[in-house]
């Protein structure tokens, strides 16, 4: 203590930063200290001994008479003592004693209240405080919880340790051998990670040797948010490099050893120093791609409806009656529904749309392909029935075409029923396939069932193409086998290219690929099968006669009023 009073030594502590036990000064404490006198306490020798040592005097008259000590008046001022000998403010140790006294008082009060309620102490008599044993207070101290006069909470944790932090203290010394300790921060162990230490740099007074530059305990600059510390080989641990956080991770504080991952619904920003919400991704009616596909679907639907109307208007002409007029109507209706079903794939996925998308598409396309297969078979049977003695005429009834359509469609309906009953499609969220995107999609439930539906459509298309190819050169009036052959070639080309393209895309572009395939294949069927007939109905009506054969050019016969179409 005597060494600390020397100015040459106390100045060495100027600007020192230290951890001290947390303290808070109760109201009126400093006034109380200023009024302390050694005569106040009877039987407490500590104050008298301290008073004599602090003021270098004696309170005993015998020592004064011997001339060895100066006499203490008892009116000396404690505030005149240097800070190295006595501090007027409440220190951390004094604050702990202050809280300890109040904790014991609260424990005794709790014990007294319990005694008042139960009266089970010492044979029915009230327990006097003189008879309290220290161990009897342990239970009450363990559960103590109160706010002291400065509103600090006092209580103990599960390990019976006082829950308290530390103050970050800045020592400021003065030439007159005095000093003050200024609180410039706080260390709170029981707070969220990263917020344990709080320091107010602007309040710190540094030693003059620092030259107003903050001291640094590392041999390189800090690693700022977005970077992490990377250890250097064969150098002190405080030396390190700063490496950019790996893709998909962030760091929000300086000098972190490792970067952290963002939550699933968030992703790093460009600087990789914070997480931002991911954007929802699905094929919307409001974006350009969705608008184009929706307009195409509606446009093709209107064109199909127009073709349907033209055929109904000319339903009694030979070219409409050829190859079963009812089959033509069913095919146009199914193509109209094919175009419209593509609209189910646009918009935010929901339970109903996911449930209906693939099933509706699969069944409607099966009906369309079944009709095409039935029309092709009717062409073959019609040619065979023209041969003398042929027994094929009995098969040339509507029941055969209807049976083909029902049988082929029923198989697809059965596949879809099994699919929906075992593992139906449902709305799903994909947070990992695209960076910064949350993909809202329809989970197919069972991928094998989805590809079974596509596979069955492929089988129908292949059979229709094969039958139409074999019947393409039959000399029948208004034979549309050639057009069916070409339409099936377009259909198969579209869907063969669909599978690898579908598997190589993600999110809304996967949905767009399927919509595009539906529209292209349906438009191919519409154009290849019905455009030649529309051309004759609208522009070559003179060729639309039963006694004439199908032709693209009509020449007037010189010696007849009848126009003849030649192939």
């Amino acid at each position: 203590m005597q060494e600390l009073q020397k100015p040459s030594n106390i100045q060495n502590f100027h600007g020192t930063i230290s951890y001290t036990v947390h303290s808070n000064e109760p109201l009126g404490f400093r006034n109380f200290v200023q009024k302390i006198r050694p005569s106040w306490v009877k039987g407490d020798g500590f104050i008298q001994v301290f008073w004599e040592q602090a003021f270098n005097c004696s309170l005993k008259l015998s020592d004064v008479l011997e001339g060895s000590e100066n006499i203490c008046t008892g009116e000396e001022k404690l505030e005149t003592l240097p800070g190295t000998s006595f501090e007027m403010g409440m220190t951390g140790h004094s604050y702990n004693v202050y809280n300890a006294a109040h904790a014991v008082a609260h424990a005794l009060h709790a014990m007294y209240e319990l005694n008042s309620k139960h009266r089970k102490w010492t044979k029915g008599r009230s327990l006097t405080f003189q008879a309290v044993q220290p161990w009897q207070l342990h239970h009450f101290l363990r559960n103590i919880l109160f706010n002291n006069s400065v509103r600090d909470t006092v209580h103990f944790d599960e390990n019976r340790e006082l829950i308290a932090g530390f103050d970050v203290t800045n020592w400021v010394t003065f030439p007159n051998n005095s000093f003050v300790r200024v609180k410039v921060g706080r260390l709170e162990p029981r707070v969220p990670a990263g917020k344990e230490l709080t320091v107010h740099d602007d309040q710190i007074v540094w030693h003059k040797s620092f030259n107003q530059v903050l001291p640094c305990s590392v041999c390189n600059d800090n690693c700022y948010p977005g970077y992490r510390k990377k250890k250097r080989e064969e150098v002190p641990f405080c030396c390190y490099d700063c490496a950019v956080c790996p893709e998909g991770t962030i760091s929000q504080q300086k000098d972190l050893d490792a970067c952290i991952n963002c939550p699933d619904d968030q992703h790093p920003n460009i600087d990789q120093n914070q997480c931002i919400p991911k954007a929802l991704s699905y094929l919307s009616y409001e974006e350009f791609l969705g608008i184009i596909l929706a307009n195409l679907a509606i446009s093709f639907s209107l064109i199909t409806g127009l073709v349907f109307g033209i055929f109904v208007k000319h339903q009694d002409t030979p070219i409409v009656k050829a190859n079963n007029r009812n089959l033509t109507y069913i095919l146009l209706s199914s193509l109209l529904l094919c175009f419209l079903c593509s609209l189910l794939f646009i918009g935010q996925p929901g339970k109903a749309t996911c449930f209906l998308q693939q099933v509706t598409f699969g069944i409607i396309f099966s009906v369309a392909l079944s009709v095409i297969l039935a029309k092709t078979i009717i062409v073959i049977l019609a040619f065979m029935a023209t041969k003398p003695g042929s027994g094929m005429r009995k098969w040339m009834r509507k029941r055969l075409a209807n049976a083909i359509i029902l049988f082929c469609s029923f198989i697809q309906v059965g596949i879809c029923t099994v699919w929906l009953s075992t593992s139906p499609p449902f709305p799903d969220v994909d947070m990992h396939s695209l960076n910064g995107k949350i993909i809202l999609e329809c989970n197919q439930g069972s991928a094998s069932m989805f590809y079974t539906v596509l596979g069955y459509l492929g089988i129908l298309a292949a059979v229709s193409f094969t039958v139409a190819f074999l019947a393409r050169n039959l000399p029948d009036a208004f034979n549309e086998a050639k057009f069916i052959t070409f339409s099936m070639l377009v259909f198969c080309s579209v869907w063969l290219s669909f599978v690898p393209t579908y598997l190589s895309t993600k999110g809304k572009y996967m949905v767009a690929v399927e919509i595009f395939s539906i529209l292209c294949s349906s438009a191919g069927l519409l154009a290849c099968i019905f455009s030649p007939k529309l051309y004759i109905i609208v522009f070559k009506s003179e060729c639309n006669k039963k006694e004439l054969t199908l032709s693209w050019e009509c020449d007037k016969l010189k010696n007849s009023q009848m126009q003849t179409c030649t192939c």
Side-chain angles (χ1 to χ4, degrees):
M1 182 68 71
Q2 298 298 325
E3 292 297 325
L4 291 178
Q5 294 180 20
K6 296 179 181 181
S8 59
N9 288 335
I10 194 65
Q11 292 301 319
N12 292 335
F13 291 94
H14 179 71
T16 300
I17 303 294
S18 65
Y19 287 118
T20 56
V21 177
H22 172 65
S23 64
N24 222 337
E25 189 169 297
L27 184 66
F29 175 77
R30 196 174 293 266
N31 292 332
F32 168 77
V33 173
Q34 291 174 346
K35 296 177 181 179
I36 290 179
R37 296 294 180 267
S39 60
W40 283 14
V41 182
K42 304 298 182 180
D44 187 353
F46 171 76
I47 292 181
Q48 294 181 352
V49 172
F50 168 77
W51 203 273
E52 291 177 344
Q53 292 181 356
F55 293 103
N56 195 22
C57 61
S58 178
L59 293 169
K60 298 178 182 178
L61 183 60
S62 59
D63 293 337
V64 175
L65 293 177
E66 293 177 0
S68 58
E69 296 286 348
N70 296 323
I71 187 170
C72 293
T73 64
E75 297 298 326
E76 291 83 3
K77 303 292 186 180
L78 289 174
E79 60 264 29
T80 61
L81 295 174
T84 54
S85 299
F86 184 79
E87 296 183 55
M88 293 296 292
M90 177 168 280
T91 63
H93 298 292
S94 299
Y95 189 64
N96 280 347
V97 173
Y98 174 81
N99 286 331
H102 280 78
V104 172
H106 278 81
L108 289 172
H109 179 70
M111 179 182 291
Y112 175 78
E113 286 188 338
L114 184 65
N115 174 49
S116 300
K117 292 180 180 179
H118 300 286
R119 300 290 183 181
K120 293 183 179 180
W121 300 90
T122 61
K123 297 182 181 180
R125 294 176 299 170
S126 297
L127 179 66
T128 60
F129 287 140
Q130 290 80 2
V132 174
Q133 299 298 320
W135 59 267
Q136 292 177 301
L137 288 176
H138 290 173
H139 172 74
F140 299 95
L141 284 172
R142 186 184 306 126
N143 301 311
I144 207 72
L145 175 64
F146 67 94
N147 291 333
N148 60 19
S149 61
V150 290
R151 297 185 179 180
D152 279 347
T153 302
V154 180
H155 64 110
F156 300 90
D157 60 13
E158 62 276 3
N159 298 321
R160 304 179 187 179
E161 296 178 356
L162 181 67
I163 299 178
F166 294 89
D167 294 328
V168 181
T169 305
N170 180 210
W171 292 54
V172 181
T173 64
F174 301 98
N176 63 350
N177 201 32
S178 63
F179 71 94
V180 292
R181 291 191 290 186
V182 182
K183 295 179 183 179
V184 295
R186 186 75 188 274
L187 177 64
E188 291 282 1
R190 293 176 177 84
V191 295
K195 299 183 179 180
E196 299 93 341
L197 180 62
T198 303
V199 178
H200 305 289
D201 297 342
D202 55 335
Q203 298 179 8
I204 299 177
V205 177
W206 298 103
H207 195 277
K208 60 182 179 179
S209 62
F210 292 152
N211 196 23
Q212 303 302 318
V213 178
L214 297 179
C216 185
S217 62
V218 295
C219 54
N220 49 267
D221 294 333
N222 298 107
C223 290
Y224 291 95
Y227 294 82
R228 63 179 177 85
K229 293 195 296 185
K230 183 179 180 181
K231 188 180 182 305
R232 296 181 186 176
E233 298 295 335
E234 300 180 357
V235 294
F237 72 92
C238 59
C239 298
Y240 48 82
D241 293 322
C242 295
V244 179
C245 287
E247 184 177 356
T249 61
I250 65 162
S251 63
Q252 295 178 297
Q253 299 175 6
K254 294 192 298 184
D255 297 332
L256 287 182
D257 293 323
C259 300
I260 60 174
N261 293 315
C262 289
D264 287 341
D265 59 343
Q266 299 179 5
H267 70 107
N269 61 350
I270 297 177
D271 297 327
Q272 292 185 262
N273 55 12
Q274 64 177 336
C275 294
I276 57 178
K278 291 182 179 179
L280 298 180
S281 176
Y282 61 92
L283 187 59
S284 170
Y285 283 104
E286 299 176 356
E287 60 180 296
F288 180 75
L289 182 59
I291 293 173
I292 293 297
L293 293 175
N295 286 333
L296 284 175
I298 295 174
S299 299
F300 282 129
S301 300
L302 294 176
I303 293 173
T304 307
L306 179 62
V307 173
F308 196 106
I310 293 174
F311 271 71
V312 172
K313 182 178 180 180
H314 298 84
Q315 60 181 336
D316 295 325
T317 60
I319 198 168
V320 176
K321 290 182 178 180
N323 302 112
N324 197 318
R325 180 173 51 194
N326 293 332
L327 292 182
T328 300
Y329 295 161
I330 296 174
L331 179 57
L332 284 172
S333 301
S334 60
L335 288 178
L336 176 63
L337 294 176
C338 285
F339 290 124
L340 293 177
C341 80
S342 62
L343 298 177
L344 290 173
F345 294 83
I346 306 176
Q348 184 171 345
K351 290 183 178 179
T353 54
C354 288
F355 191 83
L356 294 175
Q357 278 178 3
Q358 305 298 349
V359 173
T360 304
F361 150 71
I363 294 176
I364 293 175
F365 262 85
S366 297
V367 173
L369 293 176
S370 301
V371 171
I372 293 174
L373 178 60
K375 289 173 71 70
T376 310
I377 292 176
I378 292 298
V379 170
I380 297 176
L381 293 179
F383 171 74
M384 296 177 67
T386 59
K387 295 181 179 181
S390 174
M392 291 295 175
R393 289 187 178 273
K394 61 180 181 180
W395 296 100
M396 294 293 295
R397 298 180 181 177
K398 295 181 180 179
R399 288 184 296 178
L400 175 62
N402 295 336
I404 294 173
I405 297 173
L406 292 175
F407 176 75
C408 296
S409 303
F410 179 78
I411 295 176
Q412 186 73 290
V413 172
I415 295 173
C416 293
T417 302
V418 173
W419 185 6
L420 296 180
S421 60
T422 56
S423 183
F426 59 91
D428 198 7
V429 176
D430 183 0
M431 297 185 179
H432 306 289
S433 295
L434 294 178
N435 291 331
K437 302 285 186 181
I438 298 178
I439 301 175
L440 302 182
E441 62 182 3
C442 288
N443 191 312
Q444 305 304 340
S446 174
S448 59
M449 295 302 298
F450 172 65
Y451 289 108
T452 301
V453 170
L454 290 182
Y456 181 70
L457 292 179
I459 292 173
L460 284 180
V463 173
S464 299
F465 172 75
T466 303
V467 176
F469 181 79
L470 296 176
R472 70 190 186 282
N473 293 323
L474 294 179
D476 189 18
F478 305 113
N479 180 10
E480 58 183 350
K482 289 183 179 180
F483 308 127
I484 292 177
T485 302
F486 191 69
S487 66
M488 286 295 99
L489 187 61
V490 173
F491 184 90
C492 293
S493 299
V494 170
W495 287 102
L496 284 176
S497 61
F498 161 78
V499 175
T501 308
Y502 183 81
L503 294 176
S504 61
T505 53
K506 297 291 183 182
K508 61 183 178 182
Y509 299 106
M510 177 184 289
V511 179
V513 166
E514 186 167 0
I515 296 174
F516 184 77
S517 300
I518 292 173
L519 296 179
C520 283
S521 58
S522 301
L525 295 178
L526 181 66
C528 295
I529 294 177
F530 293 100
S531 58
K533 296 182 179 183
L534 285 175
Y535 176 78
I536 294 175
I537 292 174
V538 178
F539 300 105
K540 296 289 184 178
S541 58
E542 65 273 12
C543 294
N544 192 6
K545 296 180 180 180
K546 185 175 181 180
E547 62 270 16
L548 302 178
T549 55
L550 186 61
S551 172
W552 291 105
E553 296 180 355
C554 290
D555 297 325
K556 290 184 178 180
L557 297 178
K558 295 180 180 180
N559 300 324
S560 174
Q561 298 297 324
M562 183 186 299
Q563 292 179 332
T564 304
C565 296
T566 57
C567 296

